[in-house]
Amino acid sequence: MKKLAFFLFCFISLSLYAQVTTSPTLPTTIGEITITLDATGTELEGYTGDVYAHTGLLTTQSTSNTDWKYVIADWGSNIEKAKLLKISTNTYQFKITPDIPTFYNVTSGETVTDIAVVFRAADGSKQTRPDYFIKVYEEGLNITITNPINNSAFNLNESINITAVSSISADLQLLIDGSTQQTALNSTTISGSFAFSTTGYHTIKAIATTSTETKETEISIYIKSPTQSLTIPTTKKGITVNPDNSLTFVIEAPNKSTINLIGDFNDWKLSETHQLYKDTTNPDLFWLTVTGLDPNIEYAYQYLIDYTIKVADPYSEKILDPQNDQYISSANYPNLKAYPTNLTTGYVSTFKINQENYAWTTTNFTKPSQNNLIIYELLIRDFTASASFNEAITKLDYLASLGINAIELMPVNEFEGNDSWGYNPALYMALDKAYGTKNDFKKFVDACHQRGIAVLTDVVFNHSFGQSPLVQMYWDSANSKPAADNPWYKQQSNFANPDAQWGYDFNHESTYTKAFFKDVLSYWMNEYKIDGFRFDFTKGFSNTPYGTTSWGSDYDATRITILKNYADHVWNQNPTNKPYVIFEHLADNSEETVLADYGILLWGNMNYSYNQNTMGYSDQSDISWISYKNRGWDNPNVVGYMESHDEERLMYKNLQFGNSNTSYNVKDLNTALSRQELAGMFLFTIPGPKMIWQFGELGYDISIDENGRVGRKPIHWDYFDNSNRKQIYNTWATMIAFKKKYPEVFNTTNFTLNVGNTLTKSILLKNTSFDVAIVGNFDIDSKTITATFSKTGIWYEYFTGEE
């Protein structure tokens, strides 16, 4: 687990823009403009620090509403010009003075159409969302409707106050659905109230007329229909394609009243035809069957919940991201559907009835023995130059020659942004498009299976960040956290140490959470033939408030029950060829023993101790904890490793901090590399599954903190051409080959470890086939080692053939 440096969240309310008003009401490029912010209901509500504007303009030169011009300061730059004046609690003012062209330093001749602004806390930790766009009017006669807001929704027969304002005195009219309801002569304001007796869309128009010209403006409002109850035809959440090519949409939303489906098929507008039913048996479920769609067209859609919150489908298999899709390589994802700009905001889901099928070539893959796994942990982004599944396929022969029989992918489900380790998940069933298409990933899994390599994915069920629709559906905006009635999340972490918190914590004691993640696990196994999972930070899977350890490592019976339940669900998908279940648990051994004896694999982090050996320091160089027997376990279910994505690289520390004397220096590159060979000898030969972090087999020596901890790292395939680096690969490949060819020896239960806090180490493996002794010196001085041999007779040193 690791702490991410950022998080994002966004939800859209139809009435959001009521938080910002301007004086004058119809601003132009001439004269001072005062913008008033009411922070109520935003992240800034209750904030006591300074608030700043991040602001620019949209002009006739802007290509979209994200193409801001004349931005006055970079994000995070707290200049006085951008500072707001606090008027009262939650009320602030921002002045553009003396006029727009001067304030923003606008190039002569360029027409300004909108002021673009986001208000943020001084440290950037809180901000208003989404971006505000304030229309800038031409000089002369203009008119705008100040209330209600365009596309607002109201109840049937509700009295609605309607107000329009003109820039100069004129004869004003208010029209409802084309009929005049109110007039005002020689005025700048007109208002009235009206109650609508029919549901659906209605238009409100305001007209201003002088002796020389007429201006008008029009908005639409929607009058709600009550939600109808009807028995659901399926219990599958998400989208079901029916035999007649109709689609049934199902979303779980406890305690919500109304859900509408909006998308390409209805021009992103509310429609009684696309209002979901509530199931008669389970009122948590809303559903709708849609007919008449072209099966060969990809459609985008969202759910509008209670007329205030727009979200992507939590069961999305693909989403479109208005901020980040533009940066996805067309080589990785050709012909990516365009985002419906100016029609909606936030993530949108997509579907296509006639998807391109993938023809699997390996249909009955038999997983390698759990006891004999050699796992290669891999981050697609930093393993291939193109950060793509397709390029990763070209490297599989390299991995197969090394001897690995399982690849563990860091998260590949949709995460926030395109450039990430993946531990900031957004959608759990959508493949992240930055790495490629669904069929690209299926081709990757298929290619692995063809080579006898299992594929595991890293899943992050402890937390998500704010782009998750499960967060957005139930959000406490005043306190910037999941609401108390959120079915899936805790309101706050129960860990005493804030370093053990990331994003928003899932509540795994909730039946909603457990059901959701079981659906996620089933989906990846059924859709992509995934062979198992590495569960991130499983210590967070209960609500127990821990007192004696800030990392929640104490024995927790409730957590054990929850975790066993998830493991059972995974195994029940294929009882005869059971998928792998691996936990990054790192809790008290009393708890890990119970999980290991249940059949679960657990990460065994031995980075520090192995690195002490490779650097040549005896202090804390004991590596015996990598042995399941030393842990008191019945089964060899510790996945031992010297490096993972989360630790500093051994070679980096060898070169930076290695020990030395007058004749021997670990900091010498070739010396440091040879010590990695020896470390592998004392990794792969200890019985039980093992894991390698990518490029460890070539002595990767770039620090984990290069370009920031989670930032991109240099890709060094050129290391393979260095004979000294390749010698690590060759030595490790030899050890792996032994382990796979003679599992009865290298996974024997009859073994002796002499690997404590001494730099001279030995291992003895005994079996009826033959015995193996491993002897090594991690010291920086020559040492005489008295090895324990199990039998008298002639022994052979493998690498030299010497008797």
Side-chain angles (χ1 to χ4, degrees), residues 173-241:
Q173 284 180 275
L174 279 180
L175 296 85
I176 306 294
D177 294 331
S179 298
T180 300
Q181 300 294 321
Q182 196 87 14
T183 60
L185 301 179
N186 194 29
S187 178
T188 58
T189 304
I190 187 171
S191 62
S193 60
F194 193 84
F196 292 87
S197 59
T198 57
T199 59
Y201 272 106
H202 297 271
T203 60
I204 300 174
K205 180 183 287 189
I207 301 175
T209 303
T210 67
S211 59
T212 58
E213 61 180 325
T214 297
K215 291 288 181 70
E216 63 181 47
T217 186
E218 181 177 289
I219 66 169
S220 295
I221 64 168
Y222 188 81
I223 304 303
K224 306 173 187 176
S225 299
T227 298
Q228 304 295 317
S229 294
L230 193 65
T231 301
I232 196 169
T234 178
T235 57
K236 178 180 177 290
K237 297 160 197 167
I239 294 180
T240 298
V241 179

Side-chain angles (χ1 to χ4, degrees), residues 22 54 73 134 202 301 738:
T22 64
H54 178 65
I134 301 168
H202 297 271
Y301 72 101
F738 269 129

Side-chain angles (χ1 to χ4, degrees), residues 444-500:
F444 173 82
V445 175
D446 204 8
C448 288
H449 288 172
Q450 292 168 19
R451 293 163 173 81
I453 299 172
V455 179
L456 302 93
T457 58
D458 200 335
V459 289
V460 186
F461 292 172
N462 173 69
H463 63 273
S464 76
F465 288 78
Q467 295 288 14
S468 166
L470 301 180
V471 170
Q472 297 170 5
M473 288 168 67
Y474 301 83
W475 179 251
D476 178 356
S477 59
N479 296 295
S480 296
K481 64 182 180 180
D485 64 343
N486 193 306
W488 300 281
Y489 291 85
K490 294 178 277 188
Q491 272 206 298
Q492 60 186 13
S493 173
N494 287 308
F495 291 100
N497 188 343
D499 288 340

Side-chain angles (χ1 to χ4, degrees), residues 573-595:
Q573 303 300 300
N574 192 346
T576 58
N577 194 18
K578 291 170 65 172
Y580 310 109
V581 175
I582 304 175
F583 290 165
E584 183 206 26
H585 204 57
L586 308 176
D588 189 85
N589 189 54
S590 60
E591 183 169 327
E592 294 211 347
T593 300
V594 174
L595 298 172

Side-chain angles (χ1 to χ4, degrees), residues 28 197 206 252 292 336 398 477 490 545 631 772:
T28 67
S197 59
E252 186 170 42
L336 178 59
Y398 163 91
S477 59
K490 294 178 277 188
R631 296 173 181 236
V772 176

Side-chain angles (χ1 to χ4, degrees), residues 529-796:
K529 299 187 184 296
I530 292 299
D531 302 301
F533 303 92
R534 180 263 191 189
F535 289 71
D536 184 66
F537 197 66
T538 46
K539 280 193 295 193
F541 281 31
S542 80
N543 300 343
T544 304
Y546 304 103
T548 60
T549 169
S550 61
W551 279 85
S553 297
D554 289 355
Y555 185 93
D556 185 343
T558 299
R559 181 168 60 196
I560 290 172
T561 299
I562 292 169
L563 294 173
K564 283 183 176 180
N565 185 253
Y566 282 128
D568 287 339
H569 177 79
V570 172
W571 293 331
N572 288 338
Q573 303 300 300
N574 192 346
T576 58
N577 194 18
K578 291 170 65 172
Y580 310 109
V581 175
I582 304 175
F583 290 165
E584 183 206 26
H585 204 57
L586 308 176
D588 189 85
N589 189 54
S590 60
E591 183 169 327
E592 294 211 347
T593 300
V594 174
L595 298 172
D597 290 347
Y598 197 67
I600 295 164
L601 295 169
L602 295 114
W603 262 24
N605 180 4
M606 298 299 298
N607 173 263
Y608 187 85
S609 296
Y610 272 95
N611 216 166
Q612 286 295 95
N613 285 282
T614 61
M615 289 189 297
Y617 300 110
S618 60
D619 181 52
Q620 299 184 60
S621 64
D622 185 349
I623 60 172
S624 62
W625 196 242
I626 202 170
S627 166
Y628 72 97
K629 284 191 173 184
N630 276 38
R631 296 173 181 236
W633 297 3
D634 292 337
N635 302 311
N637 285 354
V638 55
V639 179
Y641 60 89
M642 302 187 294
E643 293 176 330
S644 77
H645 66 270
D646 245 347
E647 288 83 37
E648 185 58 270
R649 313 305 170 214
L650 268 65
M651 270 296 294
Y652 175 80
K653 290 182 69 175
N654 290 350
L655 296 173
Q656 295 295 317
F657 311 109
N659 203 355
S660 64
N661 57 27
T662 56
S663 60
Y664 187 93
N665 188 355
V666 174
K667 294 179 183 179
D668 175 77
L669 176 61
N670 292 336
T671 300
L673 292 170
S674 68
R675 296 179 74 85
Q676 295 300 106
E677 293 182 60
L678 183 60
M681 298 276 291
F682 281 84
L683 174 72
F684 301 111
T685 56
I686 297 176
K690 298 294 181 287
M691 187 179 76
I692 307 168
W693 167 243
Q694 65 182 28
F695 299 129
E697 72 283 0
L698 296 176
Y700 192 78
D701 49 16
I702 307 297
S703 172
I704 192 173
D705 293 319
E706 175 89 4
N707 190 32
R709 180 177 175 82
V710 300
R712 285 180 179 262
K713 302 297 185 288
I715 300 171
H716 278 299
W717 284 105
D718 56 298
Y719 281 1
F720 190 70
D721 298 324
N722 181 306
S723 59
N724 291 316
R725 291 184 181 276
K726 190 178 179 183
Q727 192 56 35
I728 302 175
Y729 178 98
N730 293 337
T731 301
W732 288 14
T734 299
M735 292 296 97
I736 293 170
F738 269 129
K739 185 175 179 66
K740 291 166 63 178
K741 186 174 183 179
Y742 302 107
E744 72 281 4
V745 177
F746 286 88
N747 283 324
T748 180
T749 59
N750 187 1
F751 60 90
T752 303
L753 303 181
N754 178 25
V755 293
N757 286 317
T758 175
L759 293 176
T760 54
K761 289 178 163 57
S762 63
I763 299 171
L764 180 63
L765 308 174
K766 299 177 68 175
N767 184 263
T768 54
S769 299
F770 57 88
D771 297 349
V772 176
I774 300 97
V775 179
N777 177 21
F778 285 98
D779 210 326
I780 60 172
D781 295 307
S782 298
K783 294 288 183 178
T784 298
I785 303 175
T786 302
T788 301
F789 292 97
S790 56
K791 299 175 183 177
T792 58
I794 298 175
W795 287 69
Y796 297 90

